[in-house]
Structure formats: structure tokens, C-alpha cells
Coordinates of all heavy atoms in Angstrom, one line a residue:
M1 N -15.2 -1.4 -43.1 CA -15.0 -2.3 -42.0 C -14.3 -3.5 -42.5 O -13.4 -4.1 -41.8 CB -16.3 -2.6 -41.3 CG -16.1 -3.6 -40.2 SD -16.7 -2.9 -38.7 CE -16.7 -4.3 -37.7
T2 N -14.6 -4.0 -43.7 CA -13.9 -5.2 -44.2 C -12.5 -5.0 -44.4 O -11.7 -5.8 -44.2 CB -14.6 -5.6 -45.6 OG1 -16.0 -5.7 -45.3 CG2 -14.1 -6.9 -46.1
E3 N -12.1 -3.8 -44.9 CA -10.7 -3.5 -45.1 C -9.9 -3.4 -43.8 O -8.8 -3.9 -43.7 CB -10.6 -2.1 -45.8 CG -9.4 -1.9 -46.6 CD -9.4 -0.6 -47.4 OE1 -10.3 -0.5 -48.2 OE2 -8.6 0.3 -47.1
T4 N -10.5 -2.9 -42.8 CA -9.9 -2.8 -41.4 C -9.7 -4.2 -40.9 O -8.6 -4.6 -40.4 CB -10.8 -2.0 -40.5 OG1 -11.0 -0.7 -41.0 CG2 -10.1 -1.9 -39.1
F5 N -10.7 -5.1 -41.0 CA -10.6 -6.5 -40.6 C -9.5 -7.2 -41.3 O -8.7 -7.9 -40.7 CB -11.9 -7.2 -40.7 CG -11.9 -8.6 -40.2 CD1 -11.9 -8.8 -38.8 CD2 -11.9 -9.7 -41.0 CE1 -11.8 -10.1 -38.3 CE2 -11.8 -11.0 -40.5 CZ -11.8 -11.2 -39.2
S6 N -9.4 -7.1 -42.6 CA -8.3 -7.8 -43.3 C -7.0 -7.2 -43.0 O -6.0 -8.0 -42.9 CB -8.6 -7.6 -44.8 OG -8.4 -6.3 -45.3
N7 N -6.8 -5.9 -42.6 CA -5.6 -5.4 -42.2 C -5.2 -6.0 -40.8 O -4.0 -6.3 -40.6 CB -5.7 -3.9 -42.0 CG -5.7 -3.2 -43.4 OD1 -5.3 -3.8 -44.4 ND2 -6.1 -2.0 -43.4
L8 N -6.2 -6.2 -39.9 CA -5.9 -6.8 -38.6 C -5.5 -8.3 -38.8 O -4.5 -8.7 -38.1 CB -7.1 -6.8 -37.7 CG -7.4 -5.4 -37.1 CD1 -8.8 -5.5 -36.3 CD2 -6.3 -5.1 -36.1
V9 N -6.1 -9.0 -39.7 CA -5.7 -10.4 -39.9 C -4.3 -10.5 -40.4 O -3.5 -11.3 -40.0 CB -6.7 -11.0 -40.9 CG1 -6.2 -12.4 -41.4 CG2 -8.1 -11.2 -40.3
D10 N -3.9 -9.6 -41.4 CA -2.6 -9.6 -41.9 C -1.6 -9.2 -40.8 O -0.5 -9.8 -40.8 CB -2.4 -8.6 -43.1 CG -3.2 -9.1 -44.3 OD1 -3.4 -10.3 -44.4 OD2 -3.5 -8.2 -45.2
T11 N -1.9 -8.3 -39.9 CA -1.0 -7.9 -38.9 C -0.7 -9.0 -37.9 O 0.4 -9.2 -37.4 CB -1.5 -6.6 -38.2 OG1 -1.7 -5.6 -39.2 CG2 -0.6 -6.1 -37.1
F12 N -1.8 -9.7 -37.5 CA -1.7 -10.7 -36.4 C -1.6 -12.1 -36.9 O -1.8 -13.0 -36.1 CB -2.9 -10.5 -35.4 CG -2.8 -9.2 -34.7 CD1 -3.5 -8.1 -35.1 CD2 -2.0 -9.1 -33.5 CE1 -3.5 -6.9 -34.3 CE2 -2.0 -8.0 -32.8 CZ -2.7 -6.9 -33.2
K13 N -1.3 -12.3 -38.1 CA -1.3 -13.7 -38.7 C -0.3 -14.6 -37.9 O -0.7 -15.7 -37.5 CB -0.9 -13.6 -40.1 CG -1.3 -14.9 -40.9 CD -1.0 -14.8 -42.3 CE -2.1 -14.0 -43.0 NZ -2.0 -14.0 -44.4
N14 N 0.9 -14.2 -37.7 CA 1.9 -15.0 -37.0 C 2.4 -14.4 -35.7 O 3.5 -14.7 -35.3 CB 3.1 -15.2 -38.0 CG 2.7 -16.0 -39.2 OD1 2.0 -16.9 -39.1 ND2 3.1 -15.5 -40.4
V15 N 1.6 -13.6 -35.1 CA 2.1 -12.9 -33.9 C 2.2 -13.8 -32.7 O 3.0 -13.6 -31.8 CB 1.2 -11.7 -33.6 CG1 -0.1 -12.1 -32.9 CG2 2.0 -10.7 -32.8
G16 N 1.4 -14.9 -32.6 CA 1.4 -15.8 -31.4 C 2.7 -16.3 -31.0 O 3.2 -16.1 -29.9
V17 N 3.4 -17.0 -31.9 CA 4.7 -17.6 -31.6 C 5.7 -16.6 -31.4 O 6.6 -16.7 -30.5 CB 5.1 -18.6 -32.7 CG1 6.5 -19.1 -32.5 CG2 4.1 -19.8 -32.7
A18 N 5.7 -15.5 -32.2 CA 6.7 -14.5 -32.1 C 6.6 -13.8 -30.7 O 7.6 -13.3 -30.2 CB 6.5 -13.4 -33.2
R19 N 5.4 -13.7 -30.2 CA 5.3 -13.0 -28.9 C 5.5 -14.0 -27.7 O 5.8 -13.6 -26.6 CB 3.9 -12.4 -28.7 CG 3.6 -11.3 -29.7 CD 4.4 -10.1 -29.3 NE 4.2 -9.0 -30.2 CZ 5.1 -8.4 -31.0 NH1 6.3 -8.7 -30.9 NH2 4.7 -7.4 -31.8
A20 N 5.2 -15.3 -27.9 CA 5.3 -16.3 -26.8 C 6.8 -16.5 -26.5 O 7.1 -16.8 -25.3 CB 4.6 -17.6 -27.2
Y21 N 7.7 -16.5 -27.4 CA 9.1 -16.7 -27.2 C 9.9 -15.5 -27.6 O 9.8 -15.1 -28.7 CB 9.6 -17.9 -28.0 CG 9.0 -19.2 -27.6 CD1 7.9 -19.7 -28.3 CD2 9.5 -19.9 -26.5 CE1 7.3 -20.9 -27.9 CE2 8.9 -21.1 -26.1 CZ 7.8 -21.6 -26.8 OH 7.2 -22.8 -26.4
G22 N 10.6 -14.9 -26.7 CA 11.4 -13.7 -26.9 C 12.7 -14.0 -27.6 O 13.1 -15.2 -27.8
D23 N 13.4 -13.0 -28.0 CA 14.7 -13.1 -28.5 C 15.7 -13.6 -27.5 O 15.6 -13.2 -26.3 CB 15.2 -11.8 -29.1 CG 14.4 -11.4 -30.3 OD1 13.9 -12.2 -31.0 OD2 14.3 -10.1 -30.5
P24 N 16.7 -14.5 -27.8 CA 17.7 -14.9 -26.8 C 18.5 -13.7 -26.3 O 18.9 -12.8 -27.1 CB 18.6 -15.9 -27.6 CG 17.7 -16.3 -28.8 CD 16.8 -15.1 -29.1
V25 N 18.8 -13.8 -25.0 CA 19.6 -12.7 -24.4 C 20.7 -13.3 -23.6 O 20.5 -14.4 -22.9 CB 18.6 -11.9 -23.4 CG1 19.4 -10.9 -22.7 CG2 17.5 -11.3 -24.2
Q26 N 21.9 -12.7 -23.6 CA 23.0 -13.2 -22.8 C 22.9 -12.6 -21.4 O 22.9 -11.3 -21.3 CB 24.3 -12.8 -23.5 CG 24.6 -13.6 -24.8 CD 24.9 -15.1 -24.5 OE1 25.4 -15.5 -23.5 NE2 24.5 -15.9 -25.5
L27 N 22.9 -13.4 -20.4 CA 22.7 -12.9 -19.0 C 23.6 -13.7 -18.1 O 23.4 -14.9 -17.9 CB 21.3 -13.0 -18.6 CG 20.9 -12.4 -17.3 CD1 21.1 -10.9 -17.3 CD2 19.5 -12.7 -16.9
G28 N 24.7 -13.1 -17.6 CA 25.6 -13.8 -16.7 C 26.3 -14.9 -17.3 O 26.5 -15.9 -16.7
G29 N 26.6 -14.8 -18.6 CA 27.3 -15.9 -19.3 C 26.4 -17.0 -19.8 O 26.9 -18.0 -20.3
Q30 N 25.1 -16.9 -19.6 CA 24.2 -17.9 -20.0 C 23.2 -17.3 -21.0 O 22.9 -16.1 -20.9 CB 23.4 -18.4 -18.8 CG 24.2 -19.1 -17.8 CD 23.3 -19.5 -16.6 OE1 22.2 -19.0 -16.4 NE2 23.9 -20.2 -15.7
E31 N 22.7 -18.1 -21.9 CA 21.7 -17.6 -22.9 C 20.4 -17.9 -22.3 O 20.1 -19.1 -21.9 CB 21.9 -18.3 -24.2 CG 21.0 -17.9 -25.3 CD 21.2 -18.6 -26.6 OE1 21.3 -19.8 -26.6 OE2 21.3 -17.9 -27.6
V32 N 19.5 -16.9 -22.2 CA 18.1 -17.1 -21.8 C 17.1 -16.7 -22.8 O 17.4 -15.8 -23.6 CB 17.8 -16.4 -20.4 CG1 18.7 -16.9 -19.3 CG2 18.0 -14.9 -20.6
I33 N 16.0 -17.5 -22.9 CA 15.0 -17.2 -23.9 C 13.7 -17.0 -23.1 O 13.2 -18.0 -22.5 CB 14.8 -18.3 -24.9 CG1 16.1 -18.5 -25.7 CG2 13.6 -18.0 -25.8 CD1 16.1 -19.7 -26.6
P34 N 13.1 -15.8 -23.0 CA 11.9 -15.6 -22.3 C 10.7 -16.3 -22.9 O 10.6 -16.3 -24.1 CB 11.7 -14.1 -22.3 CG 12.6 -13.5 -23.3 CD 13.7 -14.6 -23.6
V35 N 9.8 -16.8 -22.1 CA 8.6 -17.5 -22.5 C 7.4 -16.8 -21.9 O 7.4 -16.6 -20.7 CB 8.7 -19.0 -22.2 CG1 7.4 -19.7 -22.6 CG2 9.9 -19.6 -22.7
A36 N 6.3 -16.6 -22.6 CA 5.1 -16.0 -22.1 C 3.9 -16.7 -22.7 O 3.9 -17.3 -23.7 CB 5.1 -14.5 -22.4
L37 N 2.8 -16.6 -21.9 CA 1.5 -17.0 -22.4 C 0.8 -15.8 -23.0 O 0.7 -14.8 -22.4 CB 0.7 -17.6 -21.3 CG -0.8 -17.9 -21.6 CD1 -0.8 -19.1 -22.6 CD2 -1.5 -18.2 -20.3
V38 N 0.5 -15.9 -24.3 CA -0.1 -14.8 -25.1 C -1.5 -15.1 -25.5 O -1.7 -16.2 -26.1 CB 0.8 -14.4 -26.3 CG1 0.2 -13.2 -27.1 CG2 2.2 -14.1 -25.9
S39 N -2.4 -14.2 -25.2 CA -3.8 -14.4 -25.6 C -4.4 -13.1 -26.1 O -4.2 -12.1 -25.4 CB -4.6 -15.0 -24.5 OG -6.0 -15.2 -24.8
F40 N -5.1 -13.1 -27.2 CA -5.7 -11.9 -27.6 C -6.9 -12.2 -28.5 O -7.0 -13.3 -29.0 CB -4.8 -10.9 -28.4 CG -4.1 -11.6 -29.6 CD1 -4.7 -11.5 -30.8 CD2 -2.9 -12.2 -29.5 CE1 -4.1 -12.0 -32.0 CE2 -2.3 -12.8 -30.6 CZ -2.9 -12.7 -31.8
G41 N -7.8 -11.3 -28.7 CA -9.0 -11.5 -29.5 C -9.6 -10.2 -29.9 O -9.4 -9.1 -29.3
F42 N -10.3 -10.3 -31.0 CA -11.0 -9.1 -31.6 C -12.4 -9.5 -32.0 O -12.7 -10.7 -32.2 CB -10.2 -8.6 -32.8 CG -8.8 -8.2 -32.6 CD1 -7.8 -9.0 -32.7 CD2 -8.6 -6.9 -32.1 CE1 -6.5 -8.6 -32.5 CE2 -7.3 -6.5 -31.8 CZ -6.3 -7.3 -32.0
G43 N -13.3 -8.6 -32.0 CA -14.6 -8.8 -32.4 C -15.2 -7.6 -33.0 O -14.7 -6.5 -32.8
G44 N -16.3 -7.7 -33.7 CA -17.0 -6.6 -34.3 C -18.4 -7.0 -34.7 O -18.8 -8.1 -34.6
G45 N -19.2 -6.0 -34.9 CA -20.5 -6.2 -35.3 C -21.1 -5.2 -36.1 O -20.5 -4.1 -36.3
N46 N -22.2 -5.4 -36.7 CA -22.9 -4.5 -37.6 C -24.4 -4.7 -37.4 O -24.9 -5.8 -37.4 CB -22.5 -4.8 -39.0 CG -23.0 -3.7 -40.0 OD1 -23.7 -2.8 -39.6 ND2 -22.6 -3.8 -41.2
E47 N -25.1 -3.6 -37.2 CA -26.5 -3.6 -37.0 C -27.1 -3.1 -38.3 O -27.1 -2.0 -38.6 CB -26.9 -2.7 -35.8 CG -28.3 -2.7 -35.5 CD -28.6 -3.0 -34.1 OE1 -27.6 -3.2 -33.3 OE2 -29.8 -3.0 -33.7
G48 N -27.8 -4.0 -38.9 CA -28.4 -3.9 -40.3 C -28.8 -2.5 -40.7 O -28.1 -1.8 -41.4
D49 N -30.0 -2.1 -40.5 CA -30.6 -0.9 -41.1 C -30.2 0.4 -40.5 O -30.1 1.4 -41.1 CB -32.2 -1.0 -40.9 CG -32.7 -2.2 -41.7 OD1 -32.1 -2.7 -42.6 OD2 -33.8 -2.7 -41.3
D50 N -29.8 0.4 -39.2 CA -29.4 1.6 -38.5 C -28.0 2.1 -39.0 O -27.7 3.3 -38.8 CB -29.4 1.4 -37.0 CG -30.8 1.2 -36.5 OD1 -31.7 1.5 -37.2 OD2 -30.9 0.7 -35.3
G51 N -27.2 1.2 -39.5 CA -25.9 1.6 -40.0 C -24.9 1.7 -38.8 O -23.8 2.1 -38.9
A52 N -25.3 1.2 -37.6 CA -24.5 1.2 -36.5 C -23.5 0.0 -36.6 O -23.9 -1.0 -37.0 CB -25.3 1.1 -35.2
S53 N -22.3 0.2 -36.1 CA -21.3 -0.9 -36.1 C -20.4 -0.6 -34.9 O -20.3 0.5 -34.4 CB -20.6 -1.0 -37.4 OG -19.8 0.2 -37.6
G54 N -19.6 -1.6 -34.6 CA -18.7 -1.4 -33.5 C -17.7 -2.6 -33.5 O -17.8 -3.5 -34.2
G55 N -16.7 -2.4 -32.7 CA -15.7 -3.5 -32.6 C -14.8 -3.2 -31.4 O -14.9 -2.2 -30.7
G56 N -14.0 -4.2 -31.1 CA -13.1 -4.1 -29.9 C -12.1 -5.2 -29.9 O -12.2 -6.1 -30.7
G57 N -11.3 -5.1 -29.0 CA -10.2 -6.1 -28.9 C -9.5 -6.0 -27.6 O -9.7 -5.0 -26.8
G58 N -8.8 -7.0 -27.3 CA -8.0 -7.0 -26.0 C -7.0 -8.1 -26.0 O -7.0 -9.0 -26.9
G59 N -6.1 -8.1 -25.1 CA -5.1 -9.1 -25.0 C -4.5 -9.2 -23.6 O -4.8 -8.4 -22.7
M60 N -3.7 -10.3 -23.4 CA -3.1 -10.5 -22.2 C -1.7 -11.2 -22.4 O -1.7 -12.1 -23.3 CB -4.0 -11.4 -21.3 CG -3.4 -12.1 -20.2 SD -4.5 -13.2 -19.4 CE -4.3 -14.7 -20.4
V61 N -0.8 -10.9 -21.7 CA 0.5 -11.5 -21.7 C 1.0 -11.9 -20.3 O 1.1 -11.0 -19.5 CB 1.6 -10.6 -22.4 CG1 3.0 -11.3 -22.4 CG2 1.2 -10.3 -23.8
L62 N 1.3 -13.1 -20.0 CA 1.8 -13.6 -18.7 C 3.2 -14.1 -18.9 O 3.4 -15.1 -19.6 CB 0.9 -14.7 -18.1 CG -0.5 -14.3 -17.7 CD1 -1.2 -15.5 -17.2 CD2 -0.4 -13.3 -16.6
P63 N 4.2 -13.5 -18.3 CA 5.6 -14.0 -18.4 C 5.7 -15.3 -17.6 O 5.7 -15.3 -16.4 CB 6.4 -12.9 -17.8 CG 5.5 -12.1 -16.9 CD 4.1 -12.3 -17.4
L64 N 5.8 -16.4 -18.3 CA 5.8 -17.7 -17.6 C 7.2 -18.1 -17.0 O 7.3 -18.8 -16.0 CB 5.4 -18.8 -18.6 CG 4.0 -18.7 -19.1 CD1 3.7 -19.9 -20.0 CD2 3.0 -18.7 -17.9
G65 N 8.3 -17.7 -17.7 CA 9.6 -18.0 -17.2 C 10.6 -17.8 -18.4 O 10.4 -17.1 -19.3
V66 N 11.7 -18.6 -18.2 CA 12.8 -18.5 -19.3 C 13.4 -19.9 -19.5 O 13.4 -20.7 -18.6 CB 13.9 -17.6 -18.9 CG1 13.5 -16.1 -18.8 CG2 14.6 -18.0 -17.6
Y67 N 13.8 -20.2 -20.7 CA 14.6 -21.3 -21.0 C 16.1 -20.8 -20.8 O 16.5 -19.8 -21.4 CB 14.4 -21.8 -22.4 CG 13.2 -22.7 -22.5 CD1 12.0 -22.2 -23.2 CD2 13.1 -24.0 -22.0 CE1 10.9 -23.0 -23.3 CE2 12.0 -24.8 -22.1 CZ 10.9 -24.3 -22.7 OH 9.8 -25.0 -22.8
R68 N 16.9 -21.6 -20.1 CA 18.2 -21.2 -19.8 C 19.2 -22.2 -20.4 O 19.0 -23.4 -20.2 CB 18.4 -21.2 -18.3 CG 19.8 -20.7 -17.9 CD 19.9 -20.6 -16.4 NE 20.0 -22.0 -15.9 CZ 20.1 -22.3 -14.6 NH1 20.0 -21.3 -13.7 NH2 20.1 -23.5 -14.2
N69 N 20.1 -21.7 -21.3 CA 21.0 -22.6 -21.9 C 22.4 -22.4 -21.3 O 23.0 -21.3 -21.5 CB 21.1 -22.3 -23.4 CG 22.0 -23.2 -24.2 OD1 22.7 -24.1 -23.6 ND2 22.1 -23.0 -25.5
D70 N 22.9 -23.3 -20.5 CA 24.1 -23.2 -19.8 C 25.1 -24.3 -20.3 O 25.1 -25.4 -19.8 CB 23.9 -23.4 -18.3 CG 25.1 -23.1 -17.5 OD1 26.1 -22.5 -18.0 OD2 25.2 -23.5 -16.3
G71 N 25.8 -24.0 -21.4 CA 26.8 -24.9 -22.0 C 26.1 -26.2 -22.6 O 26.6 -27.3 -22.4
G72 N 25.0 -26.0 -23.2 CA 24.3 -27.1 -23.9 C 23.3 -27.8 -23.0 O 22.5 -28.6 -23.5
N73 N 23.2 -27.4 -21.7 CA 22.2 -28.0 -20.8 C 21.1 -27.0 -20.7 O 21.2 -25.9 -20.1 CB 22.8 -28.2 -19.4 CG 21.9 -28.9 -18.5 OD1 20.9 -29.5 -18.9 ND2 22.2 -28.8 -17.2
V74 N 19.9 -27.3 -21.4 CA 18.8 -26.4 -21.4 C 17.8 -26.8 -20.3 O 17.4 -27.9 -20.2 CB 18.1 -26.4 -22.8 CG1 16.9 -25.5 -22.8 CG2 19.1 -26.1 -23.9
T75 N 17.4 -25.8 -19.5 CA 16.4 -26.0 -18.4 C 15.4 -24.9 -18.5 O 15.7 -23.8 -18.9 CB 17.1 -26.0 -17.0 OG1 17.8 -24.8 -16.8 CG2 18.0 -27.2 -16.9
F76 N 14.2 -25.1 -18.0 CA 13.2 -24.1 -17.9 C 13.1 -23.6 -16.4 O 13.0 -24.4 -15.5 CB 11.8 -24.7 -18.3 CG 10.7 -23.7 -18.2 CD1 10.6 -22.7 -19.1 CD2 9.8 -23.7 -17.2 CE1 9.6 -21.7 -19.1 CE2 8.8 -22.8 -17.1 CZ 8.7 -21.8 -18.0
R77 N 13.2 -22.3 -16.3 CA 13.1 -21.7 -14.9 C 11.7 -20.9 -14.9 O 11.6 -19.9 -15.6 CB 14.2 -20.7 -14.7 CG 15.6 -21.3 -14.8 CD 15.8 -22.2 -13.6 NE 15.6 -21.5 -12.4 CZ 16.4 -21.5 -11.3 NH1 17.5 -22.2 -11.4 NH2 16.1 -20.8 -10.3
P78 N 10.7 -21.4 -14.1 CA 9.4 -20.7 -14.1 C 9.5 -19.4 -13.3 O 10.3 -19.2 -12.5 CB 8.5 -21.7 -13.4 CG 9.5 -22.5 -12.6 CD 10.8 -22.6 -13.3
N79 N 8.6 -18.5 -13.7 CA 8.3 -17.3 -13.0 C 7.4 -17.6 -11.8 O 6.2 -17.9 -12.0 CB 7.7 -16.2 -13.9 CG 7.5 -14.9 -13.2 OD1 7.5 -14.8 -12.0 ND2 7.3 -13.9 -14.0
T80 N 8.0 -17.7 -10.6 CA 7.2 -18.2 -9.4 C 6.0 -17.3 -9.1 O 5.0 -17.7 -8.6 CB 8.1 -18.4 -8.2 OG1 8.8 -17.1 -8.0 CG2 9.1 -19.5 -8.4
V81 N 6.2 -16.0 -9.3 CA 5.1 -15.0 -8.9 C 3.9 -15.3 -9.8 O 2.7 -15.4 -9.3 CB 5.5 -13.6 -9.1 CG1 4.4 -12.6 -8.9 CG2 6.6 -13.3 -8.1
V82 N 4.1 -15.4 -11.1 CA 3.0 -15.7 -12.0 C 2.4 -17.1 -11.8 O 1.1 -17.3 -11.8 CB 3.4 -15.6 -13.5 CG1 2.3 -16.0 -14.5 CG2 3.8 -14.1 -13.8
T83 N 3.2 -18.1 -11.5 CA 2.7 -19.4 -11.2 C 1.8 -19.4 -10.0 O 0.7 -20.0 -10.0 CB 3.9 -20.4 -10.9 OG1 4.8 -20.4 -12.1 CG2 3.4 -21.8 -10.7
L84 N 2.2 -18.7 -8.9 CA 1.4 -18.6 -7.7 C 0.1 -17.9 -8.0 O -1.0 -18.3 -7.5 CB 2.2 -17.9 -6.6 CG 3.3 -18.7 -6.0 CD1 4.1 -17.9 -5.0 CD2 2.8 -20.0 -5.4
V85 N 0.1 -16.8 -8.7 CA -1.1 -16.0 -9.1 C -2.0 -16.9 -9.9 O -3.3 -16.8 -9.7 CB -0.7 -14.7 -9.8 CG1 -2.0 -14.1 -10.4 CG2 0.0 -13.7 -8.9
C86 N -1.5 -17.7 -10.8 CA -2.4 -18.5 -11.6 C -3.0 -19.7 -10.8 O -4.0 -20.2 -11.1 CB -1.6 -19.1 -12.8 SG -1.2 -17.8 -14.0
L87 N -2.3 -20.1 -9.7 CA -2.8 -21.2 -8.9 C -3.8 -20.8 -7.9 O -4.6 -21.6 -7.4 CB -1.6 -21.9 -8.2 CG -0.7 -22.7 -9.0 CD1 0.5 -23.2 -8.2 CD2 -1.4 -23.9 -9.6
V88 N -4.0 -19.5 -7.6 CA -4.9 -19.0 -6.6 C -6.3 -19.5 -7.0 O -7.0 -20.0 -6.1 CB -4.8 -17.5 -6.4 CG1 -6.0 -17.0 -5.6 CG2 -3.5 -17.2 -5.6
P89 N -6.8 -19.3 -8.2 CA -8.2 -19.7 -8.5 C -8.4 -21.2 -8.4 O -9.4 -21.7 -7.9 CB -8.4 -19.2 -9.9 CG -7.4 -18.2 -10.1 CD -6.3 -18.5 -9.3
L90 N -7.3 -22.0 -8.8 CA -7.4 -23.4 -8.8 C -7.5 -23.9 -7.3 O -8.3 -24.8 -7.0 CB -6.2 -24.0 -9.4 CG -6.1 -25.5 -9.4 CD1 -7.2 -26.2 -10.2 CD2 -4.7 -26.0 -9.9
V91 N -6.7 -23.4 -6.4 CA -6.7 -23.8 -5.0 C -8.0 -23.4 -4.4 O -8.6 -24.1 -3.6 CB -5.5 -23.1 -4.3 CG1 -5.6 -23.3 -2.8 CG2 -4.2 -23.7 -4.8
S92 N -8.5 -22.2 -4.7 CA -9.8 -21.8 -4.2 C -11.0 -22.7 -4.6 O -11.8 -23.1 -3.7 CB -10.1 -20.4 -4.7 OG -11.4 -19.9 -4.3
V93 N -11.0 -23.1 -5.8 CA -12.1 -24.0 -6.3 C -11.9 -25.4 -5.7 O -12.8 -26.0 -5.2 CB -12.1 -24.1 -7.8 CG1 -12.9 -25.3 -8.3 CG2 -12.5 -22.8 -8.4
L94 N -10.6 -25.9 -5.6 CA -10.4 -27.1 -5.0 C -10.8 -27.1 -3.5 O -11.4 -28.1 -3.0 CB -8.9 -27.5 -5.1 CG -8.4 -28.8 -4.6 CD1 -9.1 -30.0 -5.4 CD2 -6.9 -29.0 -4.7
G95 N -10.5 -26.1 -2.8 CA -10.9 -26.0 -1.4 C -12.4 -26.0 -1.2 O -12.9 -26.6 -0.3
A96 N -13.1 -25.2 -2.0 CA -14.6 -25.2 -2.0 C -15.1 -26.6 -2.3 O -16.1 -27.0 -1.6 CB -15.1 -24.2 -2.9
S97 N -14.5 -27.3 -3.2 CA -15.0 -28.7 -3.5 C -14.8 -29.6 -2.4 O -15.7 -30.5 -2.1 CB -14.3 -29.2 -4.8 OG -14.6 -28.4 -5.9
V98 N -13.7 -29.6 -1.8 CA -13.4 -30.4 -0.6 C -14.3 -30.1 0.5 O -14.8 -31.1 1.2 CB -11.9 -30.3 -0.2 CG1 -11.6 -31.0 1.1 CG2 -11.0 -30.9 -1.3
R99 N -14.6 -28.8 0.8 CA -15.5 -28.5 1.8 C -16.9 -29.0 1.6 O -17.5 -29.6 2.5 CB -15.5 -27.0 2.0 CG -16.3 -26.5 3.2 CD -16.2 -25.0 3.3 NE -17.1 -24.4 2.3 CZ -17.1 -23.1 2.0 NH1 -16.3 -22.3 2.7 NH2 -18.0 -22.7 1.1
R100 N -17.4 -28.9 0.3 CA -18.7 -29.5 0.0 C -18.7 -31.0 0.1 O -19.7 -31.6 0.5 CB -19.1 -29.1 -1.4 CG -19.4 -27.6 -1.5 CD -19.9 -27.2 -2.9 NE -20.1 -25.8 -3.0 CZ -20.0 -25.1 -4.1 NH1 -19.6 -25.7 -5.2 NH2 -20.2 -23.8 -4.1
A101 N -17.6 -31.6 -0.3 CA -17.6 -33.1 -0.1 C -17.6 -33.5 1.3 O -18.3 -34.5 1.7 CB -16.3 -33.6 -0.8
I102 N -16.9 -32.8 2.2 CA -16.9 -33.1 3.6 C -18.3 -32.9 4.2 O -18.8 -33.7 5.0 CB -15.9 -32.3 4.4 CG1 -14.5 -32.8 4.0 CG2 -16.1 -32.4 5.9 CD1 -13.4 -31.9 4.5
R103 N -19.0 -31.8 3.8 CA -20.4 -31.6 4.3 C -21.3 -32.7 3.8 O -22.2 -33.2 4.6 CB -20.9 -30.2 3.8 CG -20.4 -29.1 4.5 CD -21.1 -27.8 4.0 NE -20.5 -26.6 4.6 CZ -20.7 -25.4 4.1 NH1 -21.5 -25.2 3.1 NH2 -20.1 -24.4 4.7
A104 N -21.2 -33.1 2.6 CA -22.0 -34.2 2.0 C -21.8 -35.5 2.7 O -22.7 -36.3 3.0 CB -21.8 -34.3 0.5
A105 N -20.5 -35.8 3.1 CA -20.2 -37.0 3.8 C -20.7 -37.0 5.2 O -21.1 -38.1 5.7 CB -18.7 -37.2 3.8
K106 N -20.8 -35.9 5.9 CA -21.3 -35.8 7.2 C -22.8 -36.0 7.3 O -23.3 -36.5 8.3 CB -20.9 -34.4 7.8 CG -19.5 -34.3 8.3 CD -19.2 -33.0 8.9 CE -17.8 -32.9 9.4 NZ -17.5 -31.6 10.0
S107 N -23.5 -35.6 6.3 CA -25.0 -35.7 6.3 C -25.5 -37.0 5.8 O -25.0 -37.9 5.5 CB -25.7 -34.5 5.6 OG -25.0 -34.2 4.4

């Protein structure tokens, strides 16, 4: 198990930045660089006397948008679908908080 863990560490040592920013691509005369939010994790365990062990891992990648280079003028263009999906929980919690505040103010 120790050997497997050290192999995973070597494999994922610098993967964060390499996965968050993609290779530049020419698109319609402009250079674009894709940007993503990358998150991953691994875990493992060992149960002493029984010899049982286990492990697992998972990850997530959200495409946030692109940096666009148009003749030296660099701008960020967000992915509106992902932005809206990420805002749904925030708006939901904010709405519930406002509703509770209004109820508290009325009583």
C-alpha cells in the first residue's frame, strides 16, 4: 500500500496547475486559454489486526471560462452556465436567510 501511495503522490504532484489552465488554442483569429476549477482527493485506511484495508478517490472539474488574447488585449470570458449552476446554492441560502430575518422582524 505504501508503494501505491507514493506512486499516486508522484503522479499528482503538479497536476493542479496543469489541469486548471489548458493549452492555448487559436479560435477565430484569437488565442484562447481554457480555465477550470480542479479539485481531487484520495484517502485510504488500514484496519490493524484483520488485515483489511481500503482506499478511494475522486475528483471534479468545472470549466470556468477562457482567457482571450485579442491583439495584446487579454480578457476573461466566463462560462455562464457553470456560473449560474454555482450560484444556485448561494441564492437558495441567501433567500432562506432573508425569509428568516423577515419572520424574526415581524415577531
Side-chain angles (χ1 to χ4, degrees):
M1 177 119 168
T2 306
E3 203 171 299
T4 304
F5 183 72
S6 65
N7 288 341
L8 282 174
V9 169
D10 290 339
T11 302
F12 289 98
K13 196 176 280 186
N14 297 316
V15 79
V17 173
R19 297 287 183 237
Y21 295 97
D23 294 329
V25 177
Q26 291 293 328
L27 186 65
Q30 299 174 349
E31 182 181 50
V32 295
I33 301 172
V35 180
L37 173 66
V38 179
S39 177
F40 58 90
F42 297 95
N46 189 357
E47 184 126 357
D49 296 337
D50 295 341
S53 65
M60 165 186 82
V61 177
L62 291 175
L64 297 179
V66 297
Y67 280 108
R68 183 177 73 181
N69 184 358
D70 187 16
N73 186 18
V74 179
T75 56
F76 180 74
R77 301 291 304 230
N79 182 342
T80 53
V81 173
V82 171
T83 303
L84 291 174
V85 168
C86 290
L87 287 177
V88 167
L90 178 66
V91 171
S92 175
V93 168
L94 183 63
S97 299
V98 168
R99 188 175 76 190
R100 287 183 185 150
I102 290 172
R103 279 188 192 166
K106 284 184 180 179
S107 36

